Amino acid sequence: MKAHDGMYIGGEWRAAVGTDLIAVVDPADEQVIAHVPAGTAEDVDAAVSAAREALPEWAATPPAERAAKIAALRDVLVARKDEIAETVTAELGAPLPFSQSVHAGVPILVAGSYAELAASYAFEEKVGNSTVYAEPVGVVGAITPWNYPLHQIVAKVAPALAAGCTVVLKPAEDTPLTAQLFAEAIHEAGIPAGVFNLVTGLGPVAGQALAEHGGVDLVSFTGSTAVGKQIGATAGAAVKRVALELGGKSANVILPSADLAKAVGVGIANVMGNSGQTCSAWTRMLVHTSQYDEAVALAAEAAAKYGDRIGPLVNAKQHARVRGYIEKGVAEGARLVAGGPDAPREQGYFVSPTVFADVTPEMTIAQEEIFGPVVSIIRYEDEDDALRIANGTVYGLAGAVWAGDDAEAVAFARRMDTGQVDINGGRFNPLAPFGGYKQSGVGRELGSHGLAEYLQTKSLQF
Ligand code: NAP
Ligand code: MG
């Protein structure tokens, strides 16, 4: 695959300071498909300098002009959507139709939403005898994971640019080609030099250098809770703004009045999409004891039907980790009703769609984020029991509630300690704030709430 051998800094592709390379692997066949440079602290420093230099002019650019540039970026993403989908499929392994509709499609929607918000947002308001201005926070250090490689970049860069911030991005080592493609799109859209900069590299080297850099005003991180805690601590020590989108262990709560077959079918599809590598995936299915056996049978059938349509996991480490969790589920006494720990193919990091029944809330597979195609079906006795189980993890990112009518589902959802809940299979909304309660994170992405993360307020009194 096509790859750049440098960093995108100050509007051009510059040679990396070091000589180390990252091999990019296709997880479907385990072959190396490209190499990109592994950035160092010096590369990060150069990128932050470029972002600082570009900041005053971009911050002073009228919002309507920033909006026009983001619209141009969206248009380039539209024009190159097939290439985006092919690139994500090559380095993440997602089946091509899923890459086309989700990995390429969603970032286009989000970029479009910020083109509109940049133009319409109230960056200035009157409060009594004051005028309050929403000003850009400054230089943003963005650190993104591999699971939705382009979405997670756009969900940070588009609102940052709309706010008038400049950005240095450190993408995941597993999916740098999508990030390089995004840098090309930024260039093609005519976004001024230094407003967006890309340093590929390893988390503990380039990522850490970016999070610690004194020239960065806000760190926006998406990834594991373990690394998120470190980044939050580093930012806190420097009195720096931070946004954290971390892990999840979301509950799919099926109340007895719900359409059981629909709730189970959509619930299984929700987890199997992207091979279970979705932070908001509803990996715990909560079913009333009276409907438990029927739900288990439906879930096993739905997972088995998924079979070959599922893509591989991203890398060998995740493959081993997820299979280890499945073995742990068996060891702790859960009952496998679909899939299992055996690799279904000789080549590629594949795991079969897996469903566990007889899972109790304290089991490891019901508490920890597995990040693979694994669903745990948990029995509840009554609504209070369901609520206790739903809220009984350290996470609170997302969830679903199904009931005979929306009002009943809403009443339950309001009692959940979680940031986003789909009611009776509610549709994706690119303007809805996304982010976690509890250890699932700090801050929100998407829509006007996501834009506000990149702003700070100044009030003038008259
Ligand atoms: P991760 O290590 O947290 O990676 C996220 C990003 O942070 C990557 O760009 C990573 O770089 C970087 N990073 C790693 N260590 C860093 C450090 N010390 N300082 C600054 N940046 C650092 O996540 P992962 O290793 O890819 O996946 C591990 C687990 O995290 C998964 O199994 C899953 O449970 C969870 N996860 C959650 C999400 C989510 O959306 N909430 C996304 C991905 C993973 P490298 O790519 O070089 O590691
Ligand atoms: Mg990592």
Side-chain angles (χ1 to χ4, degrees), residues 22 142-148 152 170-175 201-212 219 221-228 230-231 234 245-248 277-280 314-315 317-318 321-322 325 368-372 395 397 434 440:
I22 293 172
I143 301 174
T144 53
W146 42 263
N147 58 333
Y148 288 88
Q152 277 141 343
K170 201 304 279 179
E173 65 187 271
D174 291 297
T175 53
L202 302 179
V205 182
Q208 196 166 329
L210 182 59
E212 288 174 349
V219 182
F221 169 84
T222 300
S224 63
T225 297
V227 175
Q230 274 183 46
I231 292 197
T234 304
E245 292 292 337
L246 309 178
Q277 303 169 122
T278 305
C279 45
S280 57
V314 70
N315 59 34
K317 190 174 151 204
Q318 288 298 108
R321 188 165 177 260
V322 170
Y325 270 117
E368 295 184 13
E369 183 173 53
I370 298 175
F371 236 58
Y395 296 113
L397 189 54
F434 178 79
S440 285

Side-chain angles (χ1 to χ4, degrees), residues 129-212:
N129 60 313
S130 303
T131 303
V132 179
Y133 295 93
E135 299 186 339
V137 172
V139 172
V140 173
I143 301 174
T144 53
W146 42 263
N147 58 333
Y148 288 88
L150 186 59
H151 169 65
Q152 277 141 343
I153 291 171
V154 171
K156 297 187 190 309
V157 176
L161 266 44
C165 293
T166 59
V167 181
V168 176
L169 169 69
K170 201 304 279 179
E173 65 187 271
D174 291 297
T175 53
L177 302 179
T178 305
Q180 290 191 339
L181 230 171
F182 178 76
E184 286 183 9
I186 286 268
H187 196 85
E188 236 180 286
I191 289 170
V195 170
F196 171 83
N197 307 275
L198 170 69
V199 176
T200 51
L202 302 179
V205 182
Q208 196 166 329
L210 182 59
E212 288 174 349

Side-chain angles (χ1 to χ4, degrees), residues 331-353:
E332 290 184 1
R335 175 165 56 99
L336 266 178
V337 296
D342 298 338
R345 302 190 201 180
E346 267 174 33
Q347 243 193 354
Y349 309 124
F350 291 89
V351 171
S352 297

Side-chain angles (χ1 to χ4, degrees), residues 79-122:
R80 300 183 68 174
K81 65 181 193 309
D82 290 340
E83 198 185 342
I84 291 168
E86 284 157 20
T87 304
V88 174
T89 289
E91 63 183 357
L92 177 68
L96 194 58
F98 190 81
S99 290
Q100 285 162 333
S101 60
V102 176
H103 290 298
V106 172
I108 288 169
L109 280 179
V110 172
S113 76
Y114 280 113
E116 283 174 26
L117 274 166
S120 62
Y121 194 82

